[in-house]
Amino acid sequence: MALCAGVGAMALPSELIVHIFSFLSDRDKLRASAVCSRWRECLFYPALWAELKLRIGGGSSSDETPKLEFLMRKFGSFVRELQLELAPVEGNLGTLNSDPSSARMDQPPGTDGDPQLSERWRDAMATYLDRVLCVFSSIKNNRNLQKLSLYGDTFILQQEGLLDSSNLHQIHQGDKKINEIQQLFMELLSNSRQLKWFSCSFMLGLVTPCSLACLSNPSAESLQHLSLLDHQLGPLVSPSELDRLSNLHSLALDFSDLTSELCGLLASPRRTPLHRLSLLLNGAALEFKALDGTATEDDWKALVRVSANLRVYIMALEVDSSELLRLLKPSLPLERLHLDSYSTLVTDATLELISQQYNKTLTHFLLLKDGPDFPDLNVNRNEDPLVLLAWRCTQLAVLVIHGYTVWSHNLVAISRLRGSSLRVLTVSEESIDFDPDQSLYMEGDPVHNLVKEVSLGLGRVWHPCLDSSLVLSEPTQHFHRELHAFSMGM
């Protein structure tokens, strides 16, 4: 700021002011704009704001909506990259109870018949819809948009159950707002000319099975990444629309949406080979999304023949092992697997299948269970299935475990098998157990000895994770962010 005053802020030409701004962080740009009116005018030069990343909601702040309106009014019409995470305000809701025995039929899910809680739910949803309207009203005519990433963090509205978008009609003018949002969204797709990246995850009331048909032909040609995820709707990508998107490098869908027909289209030699495929398998949504007709073993073989470098990332939430054993085909080129549950259990047979079928491709494995019990996968076995997985999967670089018992001597074995190539080994402290017989032949504190042995095996300092909340993130948000990194890392 002293430099600005010293050279005579008013005397500098606009081009030089913009050039100075280009070296500053966003926060410093805003501070420097206070020098004078001319500097404030230059602050909003389009070239300075090619990218905008926003996280709105999730806290108790009431001034976020005006800020969002200001930013979208200033930048929405020309910004090239927009990454937006929208969440309702947590403070509006308090604690929700999803007990269906006491809930009235005319109440939104989780409001438990409490009129005050119901009103807070409606306020939160109204705020959410108003913010979505604000965003799309501002970007609907943006022809410069190249990257659009949207995530609707509606977890606090769902709590224990899936939030059905049909409940949105209970909001004041909810149906009207939803229709307007969908219309604005289709206008955006129709007006776009150079969209390369489009990701939309769990934006309630936004995407319909007809939305993608509005995508302009230029954007259909330029699109390289597509991610469409929704908890309950049927397939969001029809075969005819996927056929238009012939230059996709990466794709993210619900597992049930990857039908045999869709997989066959992706295997066409007329298309650009697919490099990254992210699939979300939500056991709670299987009531709405049947798995019949999904890609077969022959479909995967055909796809891999055309896309030799294809790698797949799967997150499975609350999915029975019987379903996993049926869906994890041998030719599926699985690189990352995240198994997350509360009530369902991963069996040793599932781990055996994973370690045998994906021994050459698996690099990331997350095994998480958020429950009071810590089942032992090593029951009635001579070899621990996690140790076998670490031994067989020679490319394994990331291993995260919580909610299952991991014996200390097996953890040491895993560290020695993979060594320094295991870049991340995260095991919650409460998941680790010690053999009582160890104390008979090992001196000192068992935890200290474990830390020492695992650190030696990995070739770096290691400690168990003391806070399980660092491991157990909100699953759909984690999937949205990880698929972004996975798809970018081609």
Side-chain angles (χ1 to χ4, degrees), residues 136-148:
F136 284 98
S137 297
S138 302
I139 65 175
K140 65 177 181 178
N141 294 316
N142 187 336
R143 297 193 172 204
N144 296 319
L145 200 61
Q146 297 180 12
K147 181 174 183 177
L148 178 62

Side-chain angles (χ1 to χ4, degrees), residues 249-314:
H249 293 166
S250 55
L251 177 65
L253 296 170
D254 283 292
F255 200 107
S256 59
D257 291 351
L258 186 70
T259 61
S260 183
E261 183 180 6
L262 233 60
C263 199
L265 281 172
L266 291 171
S268 169
R270 296 180 291 103
R271 301 179 59 89
T272 298
L274 196 66
H275 293 280
R276 295 289 185 270
L277 178 61
S278 302
L279 300 170
L280 177 64
L281 181 57
N282 190 344
L286 293 183
E287 177 185 351
F288 311 95
K289 296 186 173 185
L291 291 172
D292 299 332
T294 52
T296 65
E297 169 67 3
D298 287 341
D299 293 328
W300 284 111
K301 286 181 178 178
L303 181 56
V304 171
R305 276 197 297 270
V306 172
S307 301
N309 295 321
L310 177 65
R311 290 296 178 263
V312 177
Y313 166 33
I314 293 177

Side-chain angles (χ1 to χ4, degrees), residues 320-383:
D320 290 329
S321 283
S322 59
E323 293 284 7
L324 289 172
L325 291 171
R326 182 167 69 93
L327 296 171
L328 294 176
K329 307 297 184 183
S331 295
L332 191 161
L334 187 64
E335 182 176 286
R336 303 187 183 197
L337 180 60
H338 180 162
L339 304 180
D340 206 316
S341 67
Y342 182 82
S343 59
T344 58
L345 288 178
V346 172
T347 63
D348 57 342
T350 304
L351 293 184
E352 180 78 12
L353 179 83
I354 293 166
S355 65
Q356 288 185 347
Q357 288 188 172
Y358 311 118
N359 59 311
K360 294 180 180 179
T361 59
L362 192 69
T363 64
H364 292 58
F365 184 57
L366 287 76
L367 180 62
L368 305 177
K369 184 176 182 297
D370 184 12
D373 302 320
F374 287 73
D376 186 358
L377 293 165
N378 197 29
V379 176
N380 301 323
R381 287 182 63 105
N382 292 324
E383 303 91 359

Side-chain angles (χ1 to χ4, degrees), residues 6 16 28 110 199 285 304 345:
L16 183 55
D28 286 341
S199 172
V304 171
L345 288 178

